């Protein structure tokens, strides 16, 4: 993926998300550590409040990661799942 892909994805998502809650962008390492902040920035430019978190596939969540993921919906935030091609 390229940074302009993140902008295109953000444009698609910004129009489909309901409400004005925060969007948590969850990046899968290693490329997700780079791409998740780019997607969050693009969503921010589209007027969506965002936060970013990265995880390692195949590794258990750390306690702080589990706590943050569980708290996200209670704050009115949304989790973005990967889009199907």
């Amino acid at each position: 993926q390229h940074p302009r892909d993140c902008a295109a994805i953000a444009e698609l998502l910004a129009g489909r998300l309901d409400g004005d809650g925060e969007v948590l962008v969850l990046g899968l390492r290693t490329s997700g550590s780079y791409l998740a902040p780019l997607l969050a920035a693009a969503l921010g430019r589209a007027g969506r409040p965002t936060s970013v978190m990265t995880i390692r596939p195949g590794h258990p969540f750390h306690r702080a990661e589990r706590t943050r993921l569980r708290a996200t919906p209670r704050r009115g935030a949304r989790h973005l799942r990967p889009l199907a091609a």
Side-chain angles (χ1 to χ4, degrees), residues 18-33:
D18 59 337
D20 58 357
E22 175 188 352
V23 176
L24 172 62
V25 181
L26 183 62
L28 300 178
R29 293 184 191 151
T30 296
S31 65
S33 296

Side-chain angles (χ1 to χ4, degrees), residues 66-77 79:
R66 286 192 310 270
T67 300
R68 185 171 178 196
L69 286 170
R70 285 185 185 125
T72 300
R74 288 190 291 255
R75 292 192 324 266
H79 292 88

Side-chain angles (χ1 to χ4, degrees), residues 33-55:
S33 296
Y34 169 73
L35 294 170
L38 291 176
L39 178 57
L43 284 167
R45 285 191 300 277
R48 300 298 306 205
T50 61
S51 63
V52 176
M53 185 174 158
T54 62
I55 61 168

